[in-house]
Amino acid sequence: MKARKLLMIPGPIEFEPEVMQSMATPTPGHVDPNFIESFGKALELMKSVWLCPAGQAFIIAGTGTLAMDIAGSNLIETGDNALVISTGYFGERYAELLKRYGANVDILRAPLGDVVPFDQIEAQLKKKNYKLMTFTHVDTSTAVLNDAKLFGKLGQKYEVLTILDGVCSVAGEEIRQEEWGIDVVLTASQKAIGVPPGLALLVASQKAIKAFENRKTPVGNYYCDWTNWLPVMKAYENRTPSYFGTPAVNLILALETSLKLILKEGMDKRFKRHLQAGKAFRSAIKALGLNMIPVNEKVSANTLSAPYYPERVTGGELLGGISKEGIIIAGGLLSEIKAKYFRVGHMGSVNRSDLLATVGAIESGLRVCNYSFNSGVGLKACQDILNDPA
Ligand code: PMP
């Protein structure tokens, strides 16, 4: 029997073998002609995955928080007004981050499991002039999905730069950055992009780049400063080497491989596959009689789910039981309810067998916890959706 476990947490996720092979390539120098080609290609492919052909892509060594920092530090100057729409843990992080760069931050907080009502956001935008607005597309702490298209529209209408934290959504949930008019879409490599942790990735609209160019003061973060990175990205896109900080060479080779696989599947198909995976998983959880944090289907993410433990079932016991079945899932993250729920990632390369194995393991875990349900009911619900081609 193979001693392997299936990683079903909301990032890092399971990676494709081709991506891992790229990671194992003997490391080339960052000015090696083959690497220059790969870096340039990865920047171009990002714009196709982000559906933002006119944007400027950035690939910088770091995590998703660095991608948030890059967008925040380059677009905020001391005294700028910023509006943060928070649907959980990562919205709060963005507010703290923007304050470090001197922004006057207002936060609109959603009720647990829900989004901030559109009218409330619009009323706030009417009341005050903002330089930028951030929102978390999928908050990984609550599995709540925001309507990204709507934010794009609001940003355009009120001339506010929009930053979409897509760490748990890019290449999983539908995003059409250019068509929807979103200024920065940022993510990290370890989630639906399908590359081991270590890359901060973002695409900025030309409007965002202009806003950066029109700054009156220097960027308050040396490593993040686009003054340092823009020439590097442009050089590699033009297939010439350039240097500011050593690129994460193997991760970039792996990124090129993964982006090619993503585009081979096709963005529309990929969005649909995630939608179906999300639906199938939620359907299984509901059939098992468990409640979830998102208050309805419309605000439920398709890249991960966040079910509450049933009464008298503890996290330690359930997660332990699931792990014995070979599946790794995550506990809660939002401090107020951390011990009351768990999280399951279903993004990127996740397939039908992974989903069914996970639901099966959850059923086994629940049985160990003496939770009463009809055996197989979750599996059937999951399969019914997966078998439905619609
Ligand atoms: N935003 C969201 C929505 C996330 O899910 C995460 C990571 N879970 C981050 C930001 C931060 O990313 P990282 O952990 O890579 O810094």
Side-chain angles (χ1 to χ4, degrees):
M1 195 176 83
K2 284 183 195 155
R4 64 173 157 76
K5 298 216 176 198
L6 185 66
L7 191 59
M8 293 293 285
I9 64 172
I13 62 164
E14 291 276 329
F15 304 118
E16 296 282 6
E18 294 99 309
V19 170
M20 297 316 284
Q21 272 161 19
S22 295
M23 289 296 293
T25 309
T27 303
H30 61 289
V31 296
D32 179 299
N34 290 333
F35 176 69
I36 294 170
E37 177 56 32
S38 283
F39 198 161
K41 191 81 197 162
L43 287 161
E44 285 166 12
L45 296 175
M46 272 177 68
K47 293 194 275 183
S48 301
V49 169
W50 268 241
L51 295 166
C52 191
Q56 175 63 55
F58 293 85
I59 301 172
I60 298 176
T63 73
T65 308
L66 181 78
M68 295 167 76
D69 222 359
I70 292 167
S73 62
N74 282 284
L75 296 176
I76 283 292
E77 289 184 77
T78 302
D80 284 342
N81 293 332
L83 180 61
V84 171
I85 311 298
S86 176
T87 37
Y89 184 93
F90 291 101
E92 300 302 315
R93 175 172 294 191
Y94 228 143
E96 282 312 302
L97 186 158
L98 295 173
K99 283 183 202 161
R100 295 285 176 97
Y101 298 110
N104 302 316
V105 179
D106 291 325
I107 311 182
L108 294 181
R109 291 188 175 91
L112 179 64
D114 209 346
V115 293
V116 178
F118 175 83
D119 299 351
Q120 197 185 337
I121 303 173
E122 183 152 40
Q124 189 65 30
L125 291 170
K126 272 188 187 147
K127 206 158 80 185
K128 196 161 164 181
N129 266 335
Y130 289 99
K131 166 103 172 268
L132 66 78
M133 165 167 69
T134 74
F135 67 101
T136 317
H137 195 191
V138 169
D139 201 297
T140 321
S141 68
T142 56
V144 166
L145 172 74
N146 260 309
D147 183 342
K149 194 175 176 180
L150 213 89
F151 279 89
K153 266 194 197 141
L154 280 177
Q156 301 277 322
K157 185 169 172 190
Y158 292 93
E159 293 182 7
V160 178
L161 293 168
T162 39
I163 299 180
L164 179 160
D165 172 354
V167 174
C168 202
S169 73
V170 172
E173 304 284 355
E174 182 177 7
I175 307 173
R176 301 178 187 277
Q177 184 178 354
E178 199 161 299
E179 189 188 321
W180 294 354
I182 299 166
D183 291 297
V184 177
V185 173
L186 63 89
T187 191
S189 50
Q190 74 271 18
K191 302 213 186 198
I193 286 287
V195 174
L199 291 177
L201 305 168
L202 58 108
V203 174
S205 70
Q206 292 306 326
K207 200 165 107 203
I209 299 291
K210 269 222 173 68
F212 154 75
E213 286 168 349
N214 290 336
R215 289 178 66 98
K216 293 184 183 62
T217 55
V219 173
N221 182 313
Y222 183 69
Y223 183 68
C224 290
D225 192 345
W226 280 345
T227 317
N228 297 320
W229 290 113
L230 252 177
V232 176
M233 301 303 142
K234 285 188 196 282
Y236 277 96
E237 272 180 289
N238 292 324
R239 306 301 192 265
T240 52
S242 180
Y243 169 76
F244 169 61
T246 308
V249 178
N250 283 72
L251 283 166
I252 293 173
L253 296 178
L255 176 67
E256 184 198 11
T257 303
S258 195
L259 293 171
K260 281 183 176 162
L261 290 172
I262 289 169
L263 289 165
K264 193 167 156 205
E265 179 178 17
M267 296 316 295
D268 287 340
K269 258 197 178 156
R270 195 171 173 90
F271 297 146
K272 217 166 149 189
R273 176 167 65 78
H274 279 81
L275 198 71
Q276 198 183 25
K279 254 182 164 176
F281 192 79
R282 289 193 295 278
S283 175
I285 293 296
K286 277 181 215 156
L288 288 167
L290 272 59
N291 295 319
M292 277 177 287
I293 295 183
V295 294
N296 59 45
E297 275 287 297
K298 194 165 168 264
V299 300
S300 293
N302 298 298
T303 47
L304 88 151
S305 297
Y308 285 105
Y309 298 118
E311 258 178 59
R312 288 183 295 279
V313 168
T314 65
E317 203 180 6
L318 180 62
L319 266 51
I322 295 170
S323 171
K324 272 205 188 110
E325 295 293 313
I327 311 282
I328 308 291
I329 60 170
L333 179 62
L334 201 66
S335 55
E336 309 92 272
I337 52 166
K338 205 175 159 81
K340 295 190 171 153
Y341 75 107
F342 61 103
R343 296 172 304 143
V344 179
H346 30 76
M347 65 186 118
S349 65
V350 71
N351 63 22
R352 186 189 163 90
S353 316
D354 298 338
L355 285 170
L356 289 170
T358 305
V359 174
I362 292 172
E363 288 202 7
S364 301
L366 287 169
R367 222 169 283 127
V368 171
C369 297
N370 294 319
Y371 172 73
S372 155
F373 65 101
N374 288 330
S375 201
V377 75
L379 283 165
K380 181 182 182 310
C382 186
Q383 235 160 356
D384 284 349
I385 304 268
L386 293 175
N387 290 341
D388 178 6

